[in-house]
Amino acid sequence: MKKILVLGSSNTDMTVKTPVMPVPGETVLGGDFTMSPGGKGANQAVAARRLGGDVSFICKLGRDVFGENALKHYRAEGLGTDGVLRSDLPSGVALITVDNAAENCIVVASGANLDITPADIAASSDALRACDILLMQLEIPVPAVLQAARIAHEAGATVVLNPAPYAALPEEIFSYIDLFIPNETELSAFSGLPVGDVPSAVRAAEVLFAKGVGKMIVTMGSKGSLLLDGGAPRTVSAFRVDAVDTTGAGDTYCGALCVALAEGRTLDEAARFASAASALSVTRMGAQTAMPTRQEAESFLGK
Ligand code: RIB
């Protein structure tokens, strides 16, 4: 099996259920509070591992109880953790509200996640050269993402970037990206064009292809995902489920997609597997707490 390396953020998610989202200046009385592991990088690493991938994770944790708990958790999940770094800054924390429509609002206190330095990436270069698939997001400093993409690309790895949350990227990075997985809002921001349907997404994607991106999957929530790989554009439908919390659904999708690609499946097959895993993840509360096992994903797909 090909080796997946995830480089990204690690947070502790503090989640409150709320009947309605507060507007600025408003206090609302919410429901249950939960504390659980999160962070887009960690979520993608755990999703990929739980679905059967050979996964290592590079992140930066504080020297605090959140960091200790996170490291224990990653080991228990079976992630390779030799590349986990430590910072004097506090570990990342995300404050999340989830409403009755399963939508969320998230504010991240990045802490140690933003302390990943060029020296850290240089020290991780053996791992970056040894992986087959490098999966990253944008909750860590952009220079670190660029440097890692360059090293992995030059070593022949497949570089996958989920550009969430949106951050401006240097032009150089696009030619290192084999697979770009934005949502519609991110694609619109990167291309400078409005995106609201398949034709507009195809037009916006052309801007990114002209910059050097290899292939693209545009995630469109309940509308499914749009696959753009040089052949005819095609949509993979989202599975209909009763959603209770969409936190981490996109992360589950990216992690699952990389597992399927690591197993040699086509982009279409991988997208269907990722859609199933992501659908399962929204039926339960939390990010990693909601992520399915391989067995759950396969029985959902009727295998
Ligand atoms: O994508 C969901 C994640 O975003 C949460 O787990 C939270 O930590 C933020 O990083």
PDB file of all heavy atoms in Angstrom, residues 110-139:
ATOM      1  N   SER A 110      -5.113  29.302  16.608  1.00  0.00           N
ATOM      2  CA  SER A 110      -4.151  28.396  15.946  1.00  0.00           C
ATOM      3  C   SER A 110      -2.974  28.000  16.829  1.00  0.00           C
ATOM      4  O   SER A 110      -2.471  26.871  16.727  1.00  0.00           O
ATOM      5  CB  SER A 110      -3.626  29.050  14.676  1.00  0.00           C
ATOM      6  OG  SER A 110      -4.671  29.232  13.762  1.00  0.00           O
ATOM      7  N   GLY A 111      -2.482  28.925  17.657  1.00  0.00           N
ATOM      8  CA  GLY A 111      -1.359  28.605  18.553  1.00  0.00           C
ATOM      9  C   GLY A 111      -0.213  27.940  17.823  1.00  0.00           C
ATOM     10  O   GLY A 111       0.313  28.464  16.833  1.00  0.00           O
ATOM     11  N   ALA A 112       0.164  26.750  18.288  1.00  0.00           N
ATOM     12  CA  ALA A 112       1.344  26.037  17.765  1.00  0.00           C
ATOM     13  C   ALA A 112       1.249  25.715  16.279  1.00  0.00           C
ATOM     14  O   ALA A 112       2.276  25.569  15.609  1.00  0.00           O
ATOM     15  CB  ALA A 112       1.538  24.745  18.558  1.00  0.00           C
ATOM     16  N   ASN A 113       0.015  25.633  15.753  1.00  0.00           N
ATOM     17  CA  ASN A 113      -0.125  25.319  14.320  1.00  0.00           C
ATOM     18  C   ASN A 113       0.574  26.353  13.440  1.00  0.00           C
ATOM     19  O   ASN A 113       1.052  26.029  12.354  1.00  0.00           O
ATOM     20  CB  ASN A 113      -1.606  25.268  13.927  1.00  0.00           C
ATOM     21  CG  ASN A 113      -2.332  24.098  14.552  1.00  0.00           C
ATOM     22  OD1 ASN A 113      -1.883  22.970  14.462  1.00  0.00           O
ATOM     23  ND2 ASN A 113      -3.452  24.387  15.210  1.00  0.00           N
ATOM     24  N   LEU A 114       0.593  27.612  13.917  1.00  0.00           N
ATOM     25  CA  LEU A 114       1.203  28.672  13.103  1.00  0.00           C
ATOM     26  C   LEU A 114       2.689  28.824  13.395  1.00  0.00           C
ATOM     27  O   LEU A 114       3.340  29.745  12.906  1.00  0.00           O
ATOM     28  CB  LEU A 114       0.468  30.002  13.312  1.00  0.00           C
ATOM     29  CG  LEU A 114      -0.948  30.066  12.739  1.00  0.00           C
ATOM     30  CD1 LEU A 114      -1.512  31.471  12.845  1.00  0.00           C
ATOM     31  CD2 LEU A 114      -0.981  29.600  11.280  1.00  0.00           C
ATOM     32  N   ASP A 115       3.221  27.911  14.190  1.00  0.00           N
ATOM     33  CA  ASP A 115       4.640  27.970  14.554  1.00  0.00           C
ATOM     34  C   ASP A 115       5.466  26.952  13.750  1.00  0.00           C
ATOM     35  O   ASP A 115       6.574  26.619  14.129  1.00  0.00           O
ATOM     36  CB  ASP A 115       4.758  27.718  16.072  1.00  0.00           C
ATOM     37  CG  ASP A 115       6.143  28.018  16.606  1.00  0.00           C
ATOM     38  OD1 ASP A 115       6.826  28.881  16.019  1.00  0.00           O
ATOM     39  OD2 ASP A 115       6.542  27.371  17.596  1.00  0.00           O
ATOM     40  N   ILE A 116       4.884  26.412  12.691  1.00  0.00           N
ATOM     41  CA  ILE A 116       5.649  25.482  11.837  1.00  0.00           C
ATOM     42  C   ILE A 116       6.562  26.321  10.941  1.00  0.00           C
ATOM     43  O   ILE A 116       6.088  27.127  10.137  1.00  0.00           O
ATOM     44  CB  ILE A 116       4.716  24.574  11.013  1.00  0.00           C
ATOM     45  CG1 ILE A 116       3.856  23.709  11.963  1.00  0.00           C
ATOM     46  CG2 ILE A 116       5.530  23.675  10.074  1.00  0.00           C
ATOM     47  CD1 ILE A 116       2.919  22.744  11.280  1.00  0.00           C
ATOM     48  N   THR A 117       7.865  26.146  11.125  1.00  0.00           N
ATOM     49  CA  THR A 117       8.867  27.022  10.503  1.00  0.00           C
ATOM     50  C   THR A 117       9.530  26.345   9.298  1.00  0.00           C
ATOM     51  O   THR A 117       9.449  25.120   9.139  1.00  0.00           O
ATOM     52  CB  THR A 117       9.974  27.339  11.528  1.00  0.00           C
ATOM     53  OG1 THR A 117      10.626  26.088  11.852  1.00  0.00           O
ATOM     54  CG2 THR A 117       9.401  27.970  12.790  1.00  0.00           C
ATOM     55  N   PRO A 118      10.254  27.121   8.483  1.00  0.00           N
ATOM     56  CA  PRO A 118      11.034  26.510   7.393  1.00  0.00           C
ATOM     57  C   PRO A 118      12.003  25.452   7.927  1.00  0.00           C
ATOM     58  O   PRO A 118      12.212  24.419   7.292  1.00  0.00           O
ATOM     59  CB  PRO A 118      11.782  27.702   6.794  1.00  0.00           C
ATOM     60  CG  PRO A 118      10.893  28.874   7.091  1.00  0.00           C
ATOM     61  CD  PRO A 118      10.275  28.592   8.430  1.00  0.00           C
ATOM     62  N   ALA A 119      12.568  25.690   9.120  1.00  0.00           N
ATOM     63  CA  ALA A 119      13.499  24.705   9.697  1.00  0.00           C
ATOM     64  C   ALA A 119      12.769  23.404  10.035  1.00  0.00           C
ATOM     65  O   ALA A 119      13.321  22.309   9.872  1.00  0.00           O
ATOM     66  CB  ALA A 119      14.149  25.280  10.957  1.00  0.00           C
ATOM     67  N   ASP A 120      11.519  23.515  10.491  1.00  0.00           N
ATOM     68  CA  ASP A 120      10.726  22.303  10.775  1.00  0.00           C
ATOM     69  C   ASP A 120      10.512  21.488   9.499  1.00  0.00           C
ATOM     70  O   ASP A 120      10.592  20.255   9.507  1.00  0.00           O
ATOM     71  CB  ASP A 120       9.346  22.676  11.349  1.00  0.00           C
ATOM     72  CG  ASP A 120       9.438  23.255  12.753  1.00  0.00           C
ATOM     73  OD1 ASP A 120      10.364  22.885  13.482  1.00  0.00           O
ATOM     74  OD2 ASP A 120       8.562  24.068  13.098  1.00  0.00           O
ATOM     75  N   ILE A 121      10.189  22.188   8.417  1.00  0.00           N
ATOM     76  CA  ILE A 121       9.931  21.472   7.150  1.00  0.00           C
ATOM     77  C   ILE A 121      11.237  20.850   6.646  1.00  0.00           C
ATOM     78  O   ILE A 121      11.249  19.702   6.182  1.00  0.00           O
ATOM     79  CB  ILE A 121       9.316  22.430   6.103  1.00  0.00           C
ATOM     80  CG1 ILE A 121       7.975  22.980   6.622  1.00  0.00           C
ATOM     81  CG2 ILE A 121       9.135  21.712   4.771  1.00  0.00           C
ATOM     82  CD1 ILE A 121       6.913  21.947   6.925  1.00  0.00           C
ATOM     83  N   ALA A 122      12.330  21.598   6.778  1.00  0.00           N
ATOM     84  CA  ALA A 122      13.626  21.032   6.352  1.00  0.00           C
ATOM     85  C   ALA A 122      13.934  19.777   7.164  1.00  0.00           C
ATOM     86  O   ALA A 122      14.402  18.769   6.623  1.00  0.00           O
ATOM     87  CB  ALA A 122      14.725  22.077   6.518  1.00  0.00           C
ATOM     88  N   ALA A 123      13.630  19.806   8.453  1.00  0.00           N
ATOM     89  CA  ALA A 123      13.895  18.639   9.315  1.00  0.00           C
ATOM     90  C   ALA A 123      12.974  17.466   8.967  1.00  0.00           C
ATOM     91  O   ALA A 123      13.278  16.324   9.304  1.00  0.00           O
ATOM     92  CB  ALA A 123      13.708  19.032  10.781  1.00  0.00           C
ATOM     93  N   SER A 124      11.858  17.757   8.311  1.00  0.00           N
ATOM     94  CA  SER A 124      10.900  16.709   7.929  1.00  0.00           C
ATOM     95  C   SER A 124      11.124  16.235   6.490  1.00  0.00           C
ATOM     96  O   SER A 124      10.313  15.480   5.953  1.00  0.00           O
ATOM     97  CB  SER A 124       9.466  17.251   8.038  1.00  0.00           C
ATOM     98  OG  SER A 124       9.225  17.790   9.305  1.00  0.00           O
ATOM     99  N   SER A 125      12.220  16.688   5.874  1.00  0.00           N
ATOM    100  CA  SER A 125      12.345  16.453   4.427  1.00  0.00           C
ATOM    101  C   SER A 125      12.490  14.977   4.076  1.00  0.00           C
ATOM    102  O   SER A 125      12.020  14.545   3.021  1.00  0.00           O
ATOM    103  CB  SER A 125      13.466  17.282   3.811  1.00  0.00           C
ATOM    104  OG  SER A 125      14.651  17.016   4.478  1.00  0.00           O
ATOM    105  N   ASP A 126      13.089  14.149   4.946  1.00  0.00           N
ATOM    106  CA  ASP A 126      13.186  12.712   4.628  1.00  0.00           C
ATOM    107  C   ASP A 126      11.793  12.102   4.513  1.00  0.00           C
ATOM    108  O   ASP A 126      11.507  11.333   3.588  1.00  0.00           O
ATOM    109  CB  ASP A 126      13.980  11.960   5.712  1.00  0.00           C
ATOM    110  CG  ASP A 126      15.476  12.222   5.589  1.00  0.00           C
ATOM    111  OD1 ASP A 126      15.876  12.839   4.574  1.00  0.00           O
ATOM    112  OD2 ASP A 126      16.227  11.840   6.507  1.00  0.00           O
ATOM    113  N   ALA A 127      10.925  12.446   5.468  1.00  0.00           N
ATOM    114  CA  ALA A 127       9.553  11.924   5.432  1.00  0.00           C
ATOM    115  C   ALA A 127       8.806  12.435   4.202  1.00  0.00           C
ATOM    116  O   ALA A 127       8.051  11.693   3.561  1.00  0.00           O
ATOM    117  CB  ALA A 127       8.804  12.323   6.701  1.00  0.00           C
ATOM    118  N   LEU A 128       9.035  13.692   3.857  1.00  0.00           N
ATOM    119  CA  LEU A 128       8.362  14.271   2.689  1.00  0.00           C
ATOM    120  C   LEU A 128       8.830  13.595   1.406  1.00  0.00           C
ATOM    121  O   LEU A 128       8.058  13.408   0.469  1.00  0.00           O
ATOM    122  CB  LEU A 128       8.626  15.786   2.617  1.00  0.00           C
ATOM    123  CG  LEU A 128       7.913  16.597   3.701  1.00  0.00           C
ATOM    124  CD1 LEU A 128       8.541  17.979   3.856  1.00  0.00           C
ATOM    125  CD2 LEU A 128       6.424  16.739   3.367  1.00  0.00           C
ATOM    126  N   ARG A 129      10.100  13.203   1.369  1.00  0.00           N
ATOM    127  CA  ARG A 129      10.630  12.522   0.168  1.00  0.00           C
ATOM    128  C   ARG A 129      10.189  11.061   0.118  1.00  0.00           C
ATOM    129  O   ARG A 129      10.120  10.473  -0.946  1.00  0.00           O
ATOM    130  CB  ARG A 129      12.163  12.577   0.155  1.00  0.00           C
ATOM    131  CG  ARG A 129      12.687  13.941  -0.204  1.00  0.00           C
ATOM    132  CD  ARG A 129      14.159  13.922  -0.581  1.00  0.00           C
ATOM    133  NE  ARG A 129      14.656  15.290  -0.549  1.00  0.00           N
ATOM    134  CZ  ARG A 129      15.308  15.838   0.462  1.00  0.00           C
ATOM    135  NH1 ARG A 129      15.611  15.122   1.527  1.00  0.00           N
ATOM    136  NH2 ARG A 129      15.682  17.095   0.416  1.00  0.00           N
ATOM    137  N   ALA A 130       9.899  10.476   1.285  1.00  0.00           N
ATOM    138  CA  ALA A 130       9.598   9.031   1.336  1.00  0.00           C
ATOM    139  C   ALA A 130       8.120   8.717   1.076  1.00  0.00           C
ATOM    140  O   ALA A 130       7.778   7.568   0.827  1.00  0.00           O
ATOM    141  CB  ALA A 130      10.000   8.468   2.696  1.00  0.00           C
ATOM    142  N   CYS A 131       7.245   9.737   1.140  1.00  0.00           N
ATOM    143  CA  CYS A 131       5.815   9.424   0.999  1.00  0.00           C
ATOM    144  C   CYS A 131       5.430   9.283  -0.474  1.00  0.00           C
ATOM    145  O   CYS A 131       6.121   9.775  -1.361  1.00  0.00           O
ATOM    146  CB  CYS A 131       4.956  10.492   1.685  1.00  0.00           C
ATOM    147  SG  CYS A 131       4.910  12.070   0.828  1.00  0.00           S
ATOM    148  N   ASP A 132       4.296   8.608  -0.703  1.00  0.00           N
ATOM    149  CA  ASP A 132       3.748   8.512  -2.057  1.00  0.00           C
ATOM    150  C   ASP A 132       2.710   9.605  -2.302  1.00  0.00           C
ATOM    151  O   ASP A 132       2.565  10.099  -3.412  1.00  0.00           O
ATOM    152  CB  ASP A 132       3.088   7.134  -2.250  1.00  0.00           C
ATOM    153  CG  ASP A 132       4.101   6.018  -2.117  1.00  0.00           C
ATOM    154  OD1 ASP A 132       5.010   5.945  -2.961  1.00  0.00           O
ATOM    155  OD2 ASP A 132       4.017   5.240  -1.143  1.00  0.00           O
ATOM    156  N   ILE A 133       1.951   9.924  -1.245  1.00  0.00           N
ATOM    157  CA  ILE A 133       0.924  10.971  -1.348  1.00  0.00           C
ATOM    158  C   ILE A 133       1.125  11.939  -0.189  1.00  0.00           C
ATOM    159  O   ILE A 133       1.164  11.518   0.970  1.00  0.00           O
ATOM    160  CB  ILE A 133      -0.500  10.373  -1.269  1.00  0.00           C
ATOM    161  CG1 ILE A 133      -0.754   9.430  -2.460  1.00  0.00           C
ATOM    162  CG2 ILE A 133      -1.554  11.481  -1.224  1.00  0.00           C
ATOM    163  CD1 ILE A 133      -2.105   8.722  -2.411  1.00  0.00           C
ATOM    164  N   LEU A 134       1.268  13.220  -0.493  1.00  0.00           N
ATOM    165  CA  LEU A 134       1.332  14.253   0.554  1.00  0.00           C
ATOM    166  C   LEU A 134       0.013  15.010   0.536  1.00  0.00           C
ATOM    167  O   LEU A 134      -0.378  15.566  -0.497  1.00  0.00           O
ATOM    168  CB  LEU A 134       2.490  15.222   0.285  1.00  0.00           C
ATOM    169  CG  LEU A 134       2.541  16.445   1.218  1.00  0.00           C
ATOM    170  CD1 LEU A 134       2.794  16.032   2.669  1.00  0.00           C
ATOM    171  CD2 LEU A 134       3.607  17.437   0.753  1.00  0.00           C
ATOM    172  N   LEU A 135      -0.680  15.028   1.665  1.00  0.00           N
ATOM    173  CA  LEU A 135      -1.989  15.692   1.778  1.00  0.00           C
ATOM    174  C   LEU A 135      -1.870  16.869   2.753  1.00  0.00           C
ATOM    175  O   LEU A 135      -1.432  16.696   3.889  1.00  0.00           O
ATOM    176  CB  LEU A 135      -3.030  14.678   2.290  1.00  0.00           C
ATOM    177  CG  LEU A 135      -4.417  15.211   2.648  1.00  0.00           C
ATOM    178  CD1 LEU A 135      -5.095  15.890   1.466  1.00  0.00           C
ATOM    179  CD2 LEU A 135      -5.297  14.064   3.176  1.00  0.00           C
ATOM    180  N   MET A 136      -2.247  18.072   2.283  1.00  0.00           N
ATOM    181  CA  MET A 136      -2.122  19.276   3.128  1.00  0.00           C
ATOM    182  C   MET A 136      -3.396  20.129   3.028  1.00  0.00           C
ATOM    183  O   MET A 136      -4.196  19.969   2.114  1.00  0.00           O
ATOM    184  CB  MET A 136      -0.923  20.111   2.670  1.00  0.00           C
ATOM    185  CG  MET A 136       0.400  19.380   2.798  1.00  0.00           C
ATOM    186  SD  MET A 136       1.814  20.425   2.365  1.00  0.00           S
ATOM    187  CE  MET A 136       1.608  20.545   0.595  1.00  0.00           C
ATOM    188  N   GLN A 137      -3.525  21.051   3.972  1.00  0.00           N
ATOM    189  CA  GLN A 137      -4.605  22.029   4.031  1.00  0.00           C
ATOM    190  C   GLN A 137      -3.934  23.373   4.328  1.00  0.00           C
ATOM    191  O   GLN A 137      -2.725  23.457   4.284  1.00  0.00           O
ATOM    192  CB  GLN A 137      -5.622  21.692   5.145  1.00  0.00           C
ATOM    193  CG  GLN A 137      -5.873  20.194   5.332  1.00  0.00           C
ATOM    194  CD  GLN A 137      -4.672  19.498   5.965  1.00  0.00           C
ATOM    195  OE1 GLN A 137      -3.984  20.096   6.791  1.00  0.00           O
ATOM    196  NE2 GLN A 137      -4.391  18.274   5.562  1.00  0.00           N
ATOM    197  N   LEU A 138      -4.745  24.394   4.703  1.00  0.00           N
ATOM    198  CA  LEU A 138      -4.148  25.719   4.915  1.00  0.00           C
ATOM    199  C   LEU A 138      -4.375  26.253   6.334  1.00  0.00           C
ATOM    200  O   LEU A 138      -4.568  27.448   6.517  1.00  0.00           O
ATOM    201  CB  LEU A 138      -4.678  26.703   3.866  1.00  0.00           C
ATOM    202  CG  LEU A 138      -4.282  26.372   2.415  1.00  0.00           C
ATOM    203  CD1 LEU A 138      -4.894  27.375   1.446  1.00  0.00           C
ATOM    204  CD2 LEU A 138      -2.760  26.339   2.250  1.00  0.00           C
ATOM    205  N   GLU A 139      -4.325  25.375   7.336  1.00  0.00           N
ATOM    206  CA  GLU A 139      -4.392  25.853   8.731  1.00  0.00           C
ATOM    207  C   GLU A 139      -2.996  25.964   9.338  1.00  0.00           C
ATOM    208  O   GLU A 139      -2.865  26.106  10.555  1.00  0.00           O
ATOM    209  CB  GLU A 139      -5.261  24.919   9.584  1.00  0.00           C
ATOM    210  CG  GLU A 139      -6.746  25.227   9.446  1.00  0.00           C
ATOM    211  CD  GLU A 139      -7.622  24.454  10.414  1.00  0.00           C
ATOM    212  OE1 GLU A 139      -7.235  23.352  10.848  1.00  0.00           O
ATOM    213  OE2 GLU A 139      -8.708  24.954  10.738  1.00  0.00           O
TER     214      GLU A 139
END
